[in-house]
Amino acid sequence: MLYCIFAEDRPDSLDKRLETRPAHLERLKQLQSEGRLVLAGPFPAIDAEDPGPAGFSGSLIVAEFPSLEEARAWADADPYVAAGVYQQVSVQPFRKVLPE
């Protein structure tokens, strides 16, 4: 089943985010290589493709996991969590309708 992982960044966490990004992306690339990643990306804090020093307000990941518990465990093990980038992470089942 698909799960939506919605994470909110802590204020002033851009430096930690940039420092931890390679490890975060490596985990996402692993999901992608397994054919389980639907989409992933950050929310710019301002209306710009590259928000510069304004940074990001959070991230969204939609991926396939065997269960909600495994999706939560995967999200809890994210390097951004360990580095203190995320202040809150929610995980919930997601049903993709479109595109088919």
Side-chain angles (χ1 to χ4, degrees):
M1 179 160 192
L2 293 178
Y3 294 89
C4 174
I5 300 169
F6 180 84
E8 295 178 57
D9 284 16
R10 292 185 191 282
D12 302 316
S13 62
L14 181 59
D15 289 341
K16 288 181 184 178
R17 176 183 268 274
L18 295 175
E19 180 180 306
T20 313
R21 188 171 188 262
H24 172 77
L25 289 179
E26 189 60 38
R27 294 181 82 235
L28 291 170
K29 289 177 184 177
Q30 180 65 37
L31 283 180
Q32 183 179 22
S33 72
E34 295 169 2
R36 298 169 45 199
L37 183 65
V38 174
L39 63 88
F43 299 112
I46 60 172
D47 188 12
E49 181 72 24
D50 179 359
F56 300 91
S57 62
S59 299
L60 173 67
I61 299 166
V62 177
E64 184 178 345
F65 292 93
S67 67
L68 178 59
E69 292 76 23
E70 290 185 54
R72 284 186 178 142
W74 187 91
D76 288 344
D78 193 293
Y80 282 172
V81 171
V85 173
Y86 293 154
Q87 69 179 351
Q88 182 176 341
V89 179
S90 65
V91 181
Q92 59 189 31
F94 180 78
R95 184 170 165 250
K96 181 181 172 193
V97 175
L98 294 172
E100 294 180 23

